[in-house]
């Protein structure tokens, strides 16, 4: 009984090698550089103090309230 390892042939060494275009080589080089750079760069989120966080939350709630008011007014106008 044969196994897959005994029935597979070695790769053909006489196969024609295709040339890779310059644009493909440049794109590959840039892509690999970006991957390596992104792994080396550690993104540290800046710490936000409580006062700033509360101010941003109040501003967000105010914007949401304004949008709700505008949408209600638009609904009544229709």
């Amino acid at each position: 009984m044969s196994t897959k390892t005994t029935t597979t042939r070695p790769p053909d060494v006489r196969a024609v090698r295709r040339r890779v275009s310059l644009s493909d080589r440049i794109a590959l080089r840039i892509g690999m550089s970006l991957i390596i750079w992104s792994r080396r760069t550690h993104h540290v989120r800046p710490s936000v103090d409580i006062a700033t966080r509360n101010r941003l939350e109040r501003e967000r709630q105010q914007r949401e309230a304004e949008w709700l008011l505008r949408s209600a007014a638009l609904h009544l106008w229709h």
Side-chain angles (χ1 to χ4, degrees), residues 10-56:
D12 190 11
V13 292
R14 295 174 294 138
V16 178
R17 292 182 182 250
R18 291 186 297 149
R19 303 234 356 128
V20 179
S21 67
L22 178 63
S23 59
D24 285 344
R25 281 187 280 165
I26 292 172
L28 182 63
R29 174 83 47 107
I30 291 173
M32 291 301 294
S33 300
L34 286 174
I35 290 171
I36 292 169
W37 177 80
S38 68
R39 298 240 173 142
R40 289 182 181 172
T41 312
H42 299 292
H43 301 286
V44 179
R45 297 182 70 180
S47 60
V48 181
D49 61 323
I50 296 174
T52 305
R53 185 176 291 152
N54 290 339
R55 180 180 56 80
L56 292 172

